[in-house]
Amino acid sequence: MIMGSPKCHGSEVPLAAAVASDAPAASFSVWQLIREDVNCVKARDPAARHTFEIVLTYPGVHAIIWHRLASRLWRRGVKFPARFLSWLGRFLTNVDIHPGATIGRRFFIDHGACVVIGETAEIGDDVTLYHGVTLGGTSWTSGKRHPTLRNGVLVGAGAKILGPITVGAGCRVGANSVVIEDVPPAMTVVGIPGRVVKPTSDRRKLGDGRIDLEHHLMPDPVGEAIVSLLDRIEFLEARLSHLQGERQRGRPASADEAA
């Protein structure tokens, strides 16, 4: 599982332990949730220096603050003011979160810009999104039509997760991937369409509990397949060249060589 450090209670603990002992977001006040959203930025962004800077200059934090307020109004049945606050948050931050979306604790949008989260999306605790992420729907019908992200999911820049699918706890979605099917917990997904390429046990782990930001080390399944094909073609060309040489010298190829 991806390790994260909430730092919301003065200590660093593995994400799995924090999630297991945490109460649901609905049991906290808006201000408690916002305080956690602000505090967890220091654990996930090495550029964050102090709380005052985070509150004033991080559009991803501004977006979740607007959403927390709009969501409480939405769930109390005050629909139009909730949609207006949501629109205002989008106008100010370039992050579009529908007030009906369910978002857990310690949510962070890094480099917040061009993020879209649909009405029926469900996001667990300790989730991190980068810029350009879309949690979108694939149907005009009412009901559940947007994805569910379990606890500890990290979604790279530009990734699209579409439809009422579930991305399991601790998953990582590579930048610009398009995920349209369920993903088991603790897996890494890359490509278009998204392919599971690496489980947690094969991923590099950081000793201090922070998120591994080395996205450039994501595996490339398409590239690996092309390399395998090139190796096979090189072998076949060498074998053909050998057979042609034997025939030119007048010796017939053996049964094994001909095969």
Side-chain angles (χ1 to χ4, degrees), residues 23-46:
S27 62
F28 288 77
S29 70
V30 171
W31 304 115
Q32 287 175 316
L33 293 174
I34 291 174
R35 188 179 301 114
E36 288 188 333
D37 293 329
V38 172
N39 289 339
C40 76
V41 174
K42 296 178 183 177
R44 306 186 203 175
D45 184 2

Side-chain angles (χ1 to χ4, degrees), residues 172-229:
R172 293 178 52 170
V173 179
N176 293 316
S177 300
V178 178
V179 184
I180 56 177
E181 295 180 350
D182 291 343
V183 182
M187 294 295 178
T188 298
V189 183
V190 299
I192 302 174
R195 298 176 179 84
V196 174
V197 293
K198 186 180 289 189
T200 304
S201 58
D202 293 339
R203 293 205 301 252
R204 190 175 71 94
K205 295 179 174 62
L206 302 183
D208 60 1
R210 294 196 172 193
I211 293 174
D212 181 3
L213 297 180
E214 295 191 0
H215 297 172
H216 65 290
L217 298 180
M218 286 286 191
D220 181 6
V222 176
E224 292 173 0
I226 292 174
V227 169
S228 297
L229 290 173

Side-chain angles (χ1 to χ4, degrees), residues 111-136:
H111 300 286
C114 302
V115 171
V116 177
I117 301 176
E119 177 184 8
T120 62
E122 300 177 45
I123 299 175
D125 299 335
D126 300 288
V127 171
T128 301
L129 308 183
Y130 285 84
H131 54 282
V133 169
T134 298
L135 306 183

